[in-house]
Amino acid sequence: MSTTFQTHARLLFSSESVTEGHPDKMCDQISDAVLDWALSKTPAARVACESGIKSDETRSWVAVFGEVTPAVPDNVVDEIVRRVITRIGYTTPDTGFDLKNANIVSVLSRQSGDIAMGVDQALEAKQGELQDDLDTGAGDQGMMFGYACDESPELMPLPIALAHRLTRRLAEVRKNGTLAWLRPDGKSQVTVEYRYGQPVRVDAVVISTQHSPDVDNEQIERDVKKHVIQPVIESKLLDDETKYFINPTGRFVVGGPFGDSGLTGRKIIVDTYGGMARHGGGAFSGKDPTKVDRSAAYAARWVAKNVVAAGLAKRCEVNLAYAIGVARPVSVAVECFGTEAVPVEQIERAITETFDLRPAGIIKSLDLRRPIFEQTAAYGHFGRTDLDVPWERTDKVDQLKAAVGSYAAAGR
């Protein structure tokens, strides 16, 4: 988001979310459930697990594949897949997946030894540059972005915050029986109008939700407005000009893996900031925390959120980059889009002094070697007020303020 965003008299920005029953999100949850199983067996687990799903009139199929250490028995994979799909709500063939007769295929091997030797001991440790026990190398190269802003209580961009609230609400009213005609698959999209960088109203709401065949469009629109949209979006953001598109195709009975195939890692913008911030390209689900695609993206969000919570900027984007097998980040960059309260150079210096952004430092600080990841695999990894995840804590605010204050006192 460039600084010109702040000078636009009027700008419309849209973000989407999907429910836990979306086929791609089903795969993310399966992959993260395998990760959690591995971490429950050993905190040192190495996991890069992908999943695929599809069904038709005669077959329902799930493939789980990748690299997992320790080895996962096929019967355990079968149990994990069936538990996750049952929890989501695909319990009968007419909903979009025939779980009872599903063919579940597992192709999982151990992590490559070539990769493991770079992760087990970082290049700096081999060269004698690191003297502590936080000498894990990055599990891959790449760049990761974290973002925070002050336009929602979650310190998230308002479009994605509202979109996630809508899909969580769809799942809630489906599971508690308020809207018994709902089925698991669904999407939301929210368009927010900004004026000079500030969100002022919701211009459009799009909800497409799978439903039973015995409900008509009029009831769907009426029920979704009453039980989903109105409880979620503050009335002050809605006006007579707000547009609503509820199941705009006119019918959404065929859904889930029957209506579309699914793969792990295809909803990376849903998982992050709804397109408001840049993205390094790496997906999260199914990856253990030595993979900086995941852990460093969490750390970048943690850093950016603490910067905004400390009042050092209204918007903050943190960019981290790593080389495989190397512990220290190749680069740490901060962009505040002209909203910074102090020079950006001071913010960057305070970040590097306050946060240990080596992979092992991130893992230790955020306590990531534990089975907490399946719960993050739907409704976004950031801004989760419904979960107690460590990268959402603002526990470094005082340290950042103190660091910046010391620079000012020293005239630096």
Side-chain angles (χ1 to χ4, degrees):
M1 188 63 63
S2 68
T3 54
T4 57
F5 180 67
Q6 310 296 325
T7 60
H8 271 284
R10 182 176 185 268
L11 182 145
L12 299 178
F13 195 94
S14 303
S15 296
E16 75 159 349
S17 178
V18 299
T19 65
E20 64 205 67
H22 185 282
D24 292 329
K25 275 288 138 212
M26 295 174 70
C27 293
D28 286 343
Q29 291 166 88
I30 290 168
S31 294
D32 270 339
V34 172
L35 168 63
D36 280 355
W37 178 89
L39 288 170
S40 73
K41 299 303 176 183
T42 172
R46 299 286 171 79
V47 180
C49 179
E50 317 291 341
S51 303
I53 194 166
K54 181 58 186 169
S55 64
D56 60 18
E57 291 87 347
T58 59
R59 297 165 297 175
S60 289
W61 171 87
V62 179
V64 181
F65 51 97
E67 297 80 47
V68 181
T69 307
V72 192
D74 288 350
N75 68 301
V76 171
V77 173
D78 189 281
E79 291 169 3
I80 289 171
V81 170
R82 294 182 186 279
R83 176 184 62 76
V84 171
I85 293 176
T86 300
R87 172 182 57 74
I88 292 169
Y90 289 105
T91 54
T92 58
D94 65 305
T95 59
F97 193 82
D98 184 3
L99 183 58
K100 181 179 179 181
N101 298 305
N103 182 25
I104 300 171
V105 179
S106 172
V107 184
L108 295 170
S109 60
R110 296 176 66 86
Q111 183 182 58
S112 160
D114 291 350
I115 294 174
M117 70 179 185
V119 176
D120 293 340
Q121 188 178 44
L123 178 65
E124 298 98 319
K126 295 171 185 174
Q127 295 175 341
E129 297 176 19
L130 288 178
Q131 304 300 324
D132 58 24
D133 60 350
L134 301 180
D135 60 351
T136 298
D140 203 349
Q141 69 178 48
M143 61 282 189
M144 299 81 211
F145 291 90
Y147 184 80
C149 59
D150 66 355
E151 62 191 49
S152 71
E154 303 97 317
L155 300 187
M156 288 285 285
L158 188 60
I160 190 66
L162 293 177
H164 283 323
R165 292 179 207 170
L166 288 170
T167 51
R168 286 201 301 267
R169 180 65 179 171
L170 279 172
E172 180 184 350
V173 296
R174 170 174 61 89
K175 292 179 176 180
N176 69 19
T178 300
L179 299 181
W181 50 263
L182 278 172
R183 286 181 172 175
D185 198 358
K187 290 184 175 183
S188 71
Q189 183 173 286
V190 178
T191 302
V192 172
E193 179 180 334
Y194 287 80
R195 294 177 189 166
Y196 300 105
Q198 296 300 312
V200 295
R201 59 182 291 274
V202 170
D203 187 71
V205 179
V206 182
I207 291 185
S208 295
T209 184
Q210 187 187 13
H211 59 87
S212 63
D214 56 353
V215 61
D216 60 42
N217 289 338
E218 288 185 4
Q219 182 181 348
I220 292 172
E221 183 167 352
R222 183 173 62 249
D223 285 353
V224 167
K225 282 185 176 179
K226 178 180 178 181
H227 295 287
V228 179
I229 297 173
Q230 291 174 4
V232 164
I233 301 179
E234 293 179 86
S235 59
K236 68 180 182 180
L237 293 172
L238 303 171
D239 56 34
D240 293 341
E241 301 300 317
T242 301
K243 299 175 282 291
Y244 300 92
F245 302 93
I246 300 172
N247 280 19
T249 68
R251 181 178 171 86
F252 189 0
V253 173
V254 177
F258 188 78
D260 194 7
S261 60
L263 284 172
T264 299
R266 285 207 297 203
K267 286 295 177 185
I268 59 176
I269 300 303
V270 170
D271 286 343
T272 53
Y273 307 101
M276 185 71 79
R278 286 169 282 198
H279 197 294
F284 301 155
S285 290
K287 297 178 181 178
D288 76 79
T290 66
K291 277 73 171 177
V292 285
D293 278 343
R294 179 170 222 154
S295 55
Y298 288 174
R301 162 63 177 175
W302 182 39
V303 172
K305 187 172 183 181
N306 275 270
V307 168
V308 173
L312 301 179
K314 292 181 177 294
R315 297 177 182 275
C316 180
E317 183 183 77
V318 176
N319 173 214
L320 307 176
Y322 293 84
I324 189 169
V326 179
R328 296 188 184 96
V330 174
S331 66
V332 179
V334 176
E335 172 62 75
C336 296
F337 313 101
T339 71
E340 61 272 13
V342 298
V344 172
E345 293 78 9
Q346 291 187 6
I347 298 174
E348 288 181 341
R349 198 183 317 159
I351 288 169
T352 56
E353 290 180 9
T354 303
F355 296 89
D356 185 349
L357 296 174
R358 294 175 295 170
I362 294 169
I363 291 168
K364 181 178 179 180
S365 297
L366 298 180
D367 193 15
L368 296 181
R369 292 193 184 276
R370 54 196 177 104
I372 61 171
F373 298 105
E374 182 184 345
Q375 62 183 342
T376 69
Y379 311 115
H381 293 247
F382 308 125
R384 294 300 297 271
T385 57
D386 58 320
L387 302 177
D388 180 21
V389 288
W391 53 91
E392 289 298 311
R393 297 172 187 164
T394 52
D395 53 348
K396 297 293 186 179
V397 165
D398 291 341
Q399 287 176 256
L400 286 171
K401 286 181 177 179
V404 170
S406 69
Y407 307 148
R412 294 186 289 151

